[in-house]
Amino acid sequence: MNTTANDHIALISVHGDPAVDIGGEEAGGQNVYVRQVGEALAQQGWQVDMFTRFADANQQRIVQHQPNCRTIRLTAGPAEFIPRHDIFGYGGNFVEELLKFCHNEGIQYSLCHTNYWISGWVGLELKKRLSLPMVHTYHSLGVVKYQSVEKIPPIASTRLEIEKDCLETADCIVATSPQEKEYMRELVSTQGNIEIIPCGTDINRFGSINYRNARTHLGIAPETTVIFYIGRFDERKGIETLVRAVGALKLRREETPLQLVLGGGSHPNKPDGAERQRIEGMVTELGMESFTHFPGRIDDGELSAYYAAADVCVVPSHYEPFGLVPIEAMASGTPVVASNVGGLQYTVVSEQTGLLVPPKDVESFRQAIDRILSHPEWRAQLSVNARKRVEEKFSWEGVAAQLSELYAQLISEPVASINQAQANV
Ligand code: UDP
């Protein structure tokens, strides 16, 4: 491959620290993406520095993940958790600290890859000041997200403007699914370069333990039917829909020993605690406590066993730009029932690796889960197809190889010539 091995590249993720534990507060897919992409790119020869905000006085300033891959935490605002939209006010400090770091260390980055709009703004500044090639991944598009929220935050207009600027100015945008690319073209701008490179998953870790061993490991009886959710506790994740669907399912299948596992989420005093409390309240109200389990944050070591032990994994999000959870479940051989939205339409192939149903539609979720649970042979086929799809399309190594090629091209060729080449096609 024609990469510029040994070049320094900066992955920027101001609010999504790649070195923290995943699952609580606002740590989710973006943190995982940056960390995994960073490590896989380092394996392919790049010198990878991942920049994030110093958000806790007890954190290390620099975390070395591999000899040529580290997380660097820069001071930008107080050393405490700040909700992501309030971080934007410290973007200028972040840029200054990053430039200072480059100067003190004598490092010249060949390219920056920014994640989410706040980092996108940082990248646009770096591009102006250092003429650095810039690649951007949105992780979430404001214009789509605001269609599914009731209250539009005051930061919205700034975010939308920066997201448009990123698309028109960055050297390349990485869309993680064809659906995301379509949204960009329809709702953000017709200008700018977009490449589709999906998110990935660790196909060695997920799939490393089988159904039976996973159940023994977790102490789940073979006859128990397990319905699994994992992720942040955020209203947009649609956990309420799942709870109501399983409540309805249980009424029809009273004799089936059933367990609903709702993994992830922090304690009540953390930012996502309110949603977790709301969901716990609903479980009590619906009389579902005896078969609903809240294990809290599930760490890396246990997660593959939870996925493998589940009969079905449910992703009931109202909106999902990509969604790592379905590909982790599928890599573990677990069929997925997901909302028919965004990146979920790309990762989950309905009727082949699981089922897609309309978001927020309790009865459709109930029916889809019931259908998979009622047909064990079909479930086994979905499981085989699911694993195969992830192996073919969503390994981190494959994703990093595609990013690597894109970076090498942008570093070696001025963007104008790429635009020209595309115009000539
Ligand atoms: N996750 C985890 N432990 C938890 C909860 C979540 O490791 O207790 C991970 C999950 O496995 C996935 C990520 O957090 O890799 C969530 O990513 P996704 O793209 O599904 O959702 P996001 O958080 O980005 O909205």
Side-chain angles (χ1 to χ4, degrees), residues 22-23 28-30 32 230-232 236-237 264 296-298 303 307 320 323-325 328:
I22 309 301
Q30 183 176 323
V32 174
I230 177 78
R232 292 179 298 113
R236 165 176 88 72
K237 291 288 182 185
R297 203 186 79 74
I298 301 177
L303 191 53
Y307 277 123
E320 198 65 70
L324 289 174
V325 165
E328 292 169 354

Side-chain angles (χ1 to χ4, degrees), residues 269-288:
N269 56 347
K270 298 279 186 168
D272 60 354
E275 177 65 357
R276 168 128 173 220
Q277 264 181 324
R278 190 178 79 85
I279 296 294
E280 284 183 21
M282 187 177 302
V283 165
T284 309
E285 205 178 289
L286 296 172
M288 296 169 60

Side-chain angles (χ1 to χ4, degrees), residues 16-49:
D17 184 331
V20 294
D21 291 338
I22 309 301
E25 303 205 331
E26 287 196 340
Q30 183 176 323
N31 310 61
V32 174
Y33 175 88
V34 176
R35 169 79 174 267
Q36 296 293 333
V37 159
E39 293 201 11
L41 287 167
Q43 296 285 341
Q44 300 188 9
W46 300 89
Q47 302 284 326
V48 182
D49 283 344

Side-chain angles (χ1 to χ4, degrees), residues 24-75:
E25 303 205 331
E26 287 196 340
Q30 183 176 323
N31 310 61
V32 174
Y33 175 88
V34 176
R35 169 79 174 267
Q36 296 293 333
V37 159
E39 293 201 11
L41 287 167
Q43 296 285 341
Q44 300 188 9
W46 300 89
Q47 302 284 326
V48 182
D49 283 344
M50 305 186 283
F51 290 96
T52 191
R53 199 180 74 82
F54 185 60
D56 178 343
N58 298 319
Q59 286 175 331
Q60 285 169 259
R61 282 288 180 172
I62 295 185
V63 180
Q64 194 78 44
H65 302 287
Q66 289 176 20
N68 53 349
C69 179
R70 56 189 178 163
T71 293
I72 296 154
R73 296 182 169 126
L74 302 175
T75 298

Side-chain angles (χ1 to χ4, degrees), residues 97-116:
E97 287 294 308
L98 204 156
L99 292 172
K100 218 191 287 173
F101 181 87
C102 296
H103 178 77
N104 292 345
E105 300 275 316
I107 299 176
Q108 278 192 332
Y109 292 98
S110 302
L111 175 142
C112 71
H113 182 161
T114 55
N115 296 273
Y116 197 63

Side-chain angles (χ1 to χ4, degrees), residues 10 55 118 213 246 255 333:
I118 300 169
N213 290 345
V246 174
E255 337 59 66

